[in-house]
């Protein structure tokens, strides 16, 4: 009897399905440096997951600019849980328990929920895989430690800050406008101090904060970080007691739930007199304070009121190419022929100082419509080559170096917390504590400086790439527009530069500048 043998091709054998693995990342602030750090984490997990032939990348979920103590505020974490419920994820990797959740209850609740769904988690730092655990004991202990660590760090920091408040050694996070730091001390910057004196003098003469800000802008005087002078900025200077040489510490505080509040008497405040050299006398400061309070009562304006916020889409966005001033909104014409126009603020106050004429609001809007429609029709020739060249840049080496520096900064912070803990419990002599703490601070400052320098170099290009990509996605799918869309303008345009009554340029947030001729 001849046996019949049938060959089964290897291709017909069902291959073992790959494990769909997702990664979760989180940073606690939304600063540029932290966002680059987030990008470093994302790059790490992409490589980590793709390096395993039995895994396939199911997505990278990341929350930025939020605290790890409140899961309800982490939208990406909640989205990841939803995807797990929809059977899109089999396994999750994350850096540590403290990154995943700093609250024991939340951590266990999330782990149990995922386990019920058949989804397990790998915590890199602790080397824990919830799939291989016989019980929740170890996770309970470690998550409790993470929660305790969060509280302990906060309490130790508070203790350290309180001590510095009490003995007058607390260093302000940054000196106010008009001062510099020199060898750890606040010293007067004579050039900027003259501006502060001018602001107080003009306020005492009866000028409002808006007029003071306009005068500073028109005279081309730089503000802190080269930002625009505003009424709010001026008011902040006029209400800052530090210009008298005194300092009030603990104006705000953090509660046990990690929420920040203004201190209205819930915590002690500390007044340090003659902390540094004064720019303004106490008499001037108090006189200005009375004027501001009186003017506020007369107008019925409370602190923090939004009365003076920009009310129009183009407010603060139009710049003069001739003098650099901001354009202001005006109603021009007479009777039935009135129309909205934008005028150079310097030209308004001094025609000889700037010759730029006003431009109509509807003409600007039409130029924007034309510009967007050109991008919609020609995005393949305008944006696509730019996007391809930006994406070709490889940041992996820099991102790896940033991640290495981050790890070293974390280790330094952990050593610092141990040191503070030993000091608070009386196990360490003050002299030894100060010596070791100073060394750690020097090391932390150097590491932070290196990381920030590297982050700034990477962040600029990454931001441009993201903005170009977002604009490309929009215009590649959008239909031509026939009316001005405020949301579209605010999303993609950083500012408008006016060259003449017939030519303006739209400086886009992605870095490109597009000129348009206007039809009057």
């Amino acid at each position: 009897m001849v046996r019949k043998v049938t060959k089964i091709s290897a291709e017909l054998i069902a291959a073992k399905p790959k494990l769909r693995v997702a990664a979760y990342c989180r940073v606690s602030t939304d600063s540029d440096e932290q966002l680059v750090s987030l990008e470093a984490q994302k790059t790490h997990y992409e490589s980590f997951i793709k390096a395993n032939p039995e895994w396939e990348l199911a997505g990278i979920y990341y929350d930025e600019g939020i605290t790890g103590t409140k899961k309800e505020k982490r939208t990406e974490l909640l989205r990841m849980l939803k995807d797990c419920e929809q059977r899109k994820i089999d396994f999750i990797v994350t850096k540590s328990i403290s990154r995943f959740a700093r609250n024991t209850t939340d951590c266990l609740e999330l782990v149990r929920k995922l386990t019920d769904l058949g989804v397990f988690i790998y915590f890199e730092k602790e080397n824990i895989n919830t799939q291989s655990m016989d019980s929740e004991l170890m996770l309970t202990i470690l998550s409790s430690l993470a929660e305790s660590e969060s509280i302990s760090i906060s309490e130790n920091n508070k203790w350290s800050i309180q001590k510095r408040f009490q003995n007058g050694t607390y260093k302000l996070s940054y000196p106010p406008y008009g001062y510099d730091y020199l060898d750890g001390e606040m010293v007067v910057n004579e050039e900027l101090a003259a501006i502060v004196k001018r602001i107080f003098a003009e306020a005492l003469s009866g000028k409002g904060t808006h007029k003071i800000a306009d005068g500073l802008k028109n005279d081309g005087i730089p503000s802190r970080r080269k930002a625009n002078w505003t009424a709010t900025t001026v008011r902040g200077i006029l209400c800052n007691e530090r210009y008298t040489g005194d300092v009030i510490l603990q104006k705000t505080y953090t509660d046990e739930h990690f929420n920040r509040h203004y201190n209205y008497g819930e915590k002690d405040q500390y007044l340090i007199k003659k902390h540094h050299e004064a720019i303004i006398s106490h008499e001037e400061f108090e006189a200005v304070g009375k004027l501001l309070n009186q003017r506020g009562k007369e107008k019925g304006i409370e602190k923090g009121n939004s009365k003076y916020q920009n009310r129009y889409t183009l407010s603060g966005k139009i710049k003069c190419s001739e003098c650099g001033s901001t354009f202001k909104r005006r109603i021009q014409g007479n009777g039935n022929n009135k129309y909205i126009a934008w005028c150079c603020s310097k030209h308004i106050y001094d025609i000889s100082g700037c010759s730029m004429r006003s431009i109509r609001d509807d003409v600007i809007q039409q130029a924007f419509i034309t510009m967007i429609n050109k991008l919609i029709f020609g995005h393949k020739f305008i944006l696509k080559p730019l996007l391809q060249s930006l994406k070709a840049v490889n940041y992996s080496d820099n991102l790896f170096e940033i991640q290495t520096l981050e790890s070293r900064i974390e280790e330094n912070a952990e050593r610092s917390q141990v040191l503070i803990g030993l000091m608070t419990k009386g196990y360490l002599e003050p002299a030894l504590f100060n010596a070791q703490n100073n060394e750690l601070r020097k090391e932390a400052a150097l590491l932070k400086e290196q990381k920030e320098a590297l982050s700034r170099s990477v962040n600029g290009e990454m931001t441009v790439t993201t903005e170009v990509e977002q604009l490309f996605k929009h215009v590649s799918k959008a239909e031509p527009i026939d009316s001005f869309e405020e949301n579209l303008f605010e999303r993609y345009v950083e500012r408008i530069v006016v060259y003449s009554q017939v030519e303006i340029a739209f400086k886009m947030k992605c870095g490109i500048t597009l000129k348009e001729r206007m039809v009057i």
Side-chain angles (χ1 to χ4, degrees):
M1 179 179 178
V2 179
R3 294 176 179 175
K4 184 178 180 181
V5 178
T6 303
K7 181 181 178 182
I8 302 175
S9 172
E11 296 176 359
L12 298 177
I13 301 174
K16 181 182 177 182
K18 288 187 175 183
L19 203 64
R20 296 167 299 177
V21 181
Y24 177 71
C25 317
R26 179 181 63 79
V27 293
S28 56
T29 72
D30 55 5
S31 66
D32 289 343
E33 290 80 8
Q34 285 285 51
L35 296 185
V36 172
S37 166
L38 183 61
E39 194 64 32
Q41 290 183 53
K42 288 161 61 181
T43 302
H44 162 69
Y45 282 121
E46 280 182 3
S47 303
F48 181 69
I49 294 170
K50 290 178 180 178
N52 192 323
E54 296 180 358
W55 289 1
E56 69 175 28
L57 183 62
I60 296 181
Y61 301 78
Y62 53 94
D63 284 309
E64 56 194 56
I66 42 188
T67 174
T69 56
K70 301 175 179 66
K71 75 174 183 355
E72 292 80 5
K73 291 187 177 182
R74 293 192 274 165
T75 54
E76 281 289 281
L77 175 65
L78 297 177
R79 186 171 73 85
M80 183 178 71
L81 294 175
K82 187 176 180 181
D83 286 347
C84 289
E85 290 172 352
Q86 295 175 355
R87 308 297 178 184
K88 296 178 181 179
I89 298 170
D90 302 316
F91 194 63
I92 298 168
V93 293
T94 190
K95 186 174 183 180
S96 67
I97 292 172
S98 63
R99 291 288 179 186
F100 192 65
R102 286 190 180 176
N103 177 290
T104 308
T105 304
D106 281 354
C107 185
L108 291 176
E109 179 189 329
L110 292 171
V111 169
R112 286 169 182 165
K113 183 175 182 179
L114 290 168
T115 302
D116 290 342
L117 294 170
V119 179
F120 302 99
I121 309 171
Y122 174 63
F123 299 100
E124 277 193 291
K125 183 177 179 181
E126 294 84 2
N127 193 25
I128 289 178
N129 185 336
T130 58
Q131 186 175 15
S132 61
M133 291 173 59
D134 295 327
S135 70
E136 294 179 340
L137 178 60
M138 184 57 70
L139 186 63
T140 303
I141 293 170
L142 290 172
S143 57
S144 295
L145 287 174
E147 181 180 3
S148 299
E149 179 190 12
S150 180
I151 296 169
S152 175
I153 288 171
S154 176
E155 291 303 318
N156 284 342
N157 283 336
K158 286 178 184 177
W159 177 87
S160 177
I161 291 170
Q162 285 285 344
K163 288 296 180 185
R164 282 180 276 151
F165 282 166
Q166 291 168 10
N167 59 30
T169 59
Y170 180 79
K171 183 178 178 181
L172 304 178
S173 54
Y174 60 90
Y177 185 86
Y179 289 96
D180 293 322
Y181 266 135
L182 184 63
D183 297 328
E185 299 292 330
M186 273 175 57
V187 295
V188 174
N189 180 316
E190 296 297 340
E191 184 180 349
L192 299 182
I195 309 304
V196 173
K197 291 176 181 177
R198 165 180 164 170
I199 290 170
F200 274 87
E202 290 185 355
L204 286 171
S205 72
K207 274 191 178 182
T209 51
H210 268 284
K211 284 191 175 294
I212 296 173
D214 288 342
L216 294 168
K217 284 189 288 188
N218 293 338
D219 291 345
I221 294 171
S223 67
R224 182 179 291 279
R225 299 176 183 173
K226 311 299 181 184
N228 285 332
W229 284 102
T230 65
T232 303
T233 309
V234 171
R235 177 177 281 274
I237 288 175
L238 294 174
C239 295
N240 193 339
E241 84 289 339
R242 293 173 187 179
Y243 292 111
T244 67
D246 299 341
V247 174
I248 297 175
L249 301 174
Q250 197 156 258
K251 293 178 181 178
T252 63
Y253 69 95
T254 304
D255 64 20
E256 66 273 15
H257 302 295
F258 303 94
N259 294 314
R260 197 149 194 81
H261 304 277
Y262 282 105
N263 186 1
Y264 294 113
E266 295 86 352
K267 301 287 183 182
D268 291 336
Q269 289 189 333
Y270 300 86
L271 171 63
I272 304 176
K273 289 184 173 292
K274 298 181 180 180
H275 176 271
H276 52 271
E277 184 181 350
I279 294 176
I280 302 298
S281 70
H282 285 89
E283 291 75 18
E284 284 180 282
F285 182 77
E286 289 169 7
V288 168
K290 289 177 181 177
L291 278 174
L292 292 175
N293 289 334
Q294 182 60 33
R295 191 173 290 122
K297 288 178 182 178
E298 291 171 358
K299 295 183 177 181
I301 298 171
E302 298 177 1
K303 188 176 181 181
N305 190 288
S306 60
K307 175 179 172 65
Y308 293 122
Q309 290 181 355
N310 289 337
R311 293 177 292 168
Y312 308 104
T313 306
L314 302 183
S315 294
K317 294 286 185 75
I318 309 176
K319 301 290 181 181
C320 177
S321 64
E322 183 177 330
C323 68
S325 298
T326 304
F327 274 53
K328 290 190 172 183
R329 189 178 187 271
R330 290 287 185 270
I331 303 296
Q332 295 188 342
N334 297 308
N336 296 328
N337 295 321
K338 288 184 178 179
Y339 61 89
I340 299 168
W342 292 88
C343 315
C344 172
S345 55
K346 189 166 188 176
H347 179 84
I348 292 172
Y349 298 116
D350 181 15
I351 295 176
S352 62
C354 181
S355 63
M356 189 66 69
R357 303 285 297 277
S358 63
I359 52 177
R360 291 174 63 115
D361 184 79
D362 55 355
V363 173
I364 296 175
Q365 292 187 14
Q366 187 56 52
F368 174 75
I369 294 168
T370 303
M371 182 271 293
I372 287 294
N373 287 337
K374 283 182 179 178
L375 282 179
I376 290 172
F377 285 115
H379 62 273
K380 291 182 180 178
F381 309 103
I382 301 171
L383 296 177
K384 193 173 183 179
L386 175 60
L387 183 59
Q388 288 173 338
S389 64
L390 289 171
K391 283 190 171 182
V393 179
N394 191 334
Y395 305 105
S396 57
D397 290 343
N398 285 338
L399 292 174
F400 178 77
E401 180 62 24
I402 288 169
Q403 196 171 31
T404 302
L405 289 169
E406 264 203 333
S407 297
R408 293 179 62 190
I409 290 169
E410 283 185 8
E411 290 170 6
N412 177 281
E414 287 172 2
R415 295 203 305 272
S416 178
Q417 291 306 318
V418 170
L419 203 62
I420 292 172
L422 292 172
M423 180 64 183
T424 57
K425 292 172 183 176
Y427 298 151
L428 206 61
E429 290 293 326
L432 183 59
F433 168 80
N434 289 331
Q436 293 187 9
N437 196 43
N438 287 337
E439 286 300 317
L440 286 173
R441 282 189 177 185
K442 287 179 184 177
E443 182 188 74
L446 180 61
L447 290 171
K448 187 177 179 182
E449 185 180 334
Q450 291 173 347
K451 180 196 161 189
E452 286 177 351
L454 198 55
S455 296
R456 281 194 297 270
S457 68
V458 175
N459 186 68
E461 288 296 327
M462 282 172 47
T463 301
V464 169
T465 304
T466 302
E467 286 294 334
V468 172
E469 189 171 27
Q470 291 297 320
L471 180 59
F472 181 78
K473 283 181 180 178
H474 174 80
V475 297
S476 62
K477 296 177 182 178
E479 295 293 330
I481 62 173
D482 55 13
S483 62
F484 183 74
E485 297 183 11
E486 291 185 359
N487 291 339
L488 195 61
F489 178 88
E490 290 176 347
R491 172 62 186 87
Y492 295 110
V493 179
E494 182 178 328
R495 74 171 66 98
I496 295 171
V497 179
V498 179
Y499 294 100
S500 69
Q501 281 192 301
V502 295
E503 187 179 41
I504 63 174
F506 295 93
K507 182 173 176 54
M508 312 299 281
K509 290 181 179 178
C510 65
I512 63 173
T513 300
L514 303 168
K515 287 189 176 182
E516 277 299 329
R517 300 285 294 178
M518 295 185 293
V519 180
I520 300 177

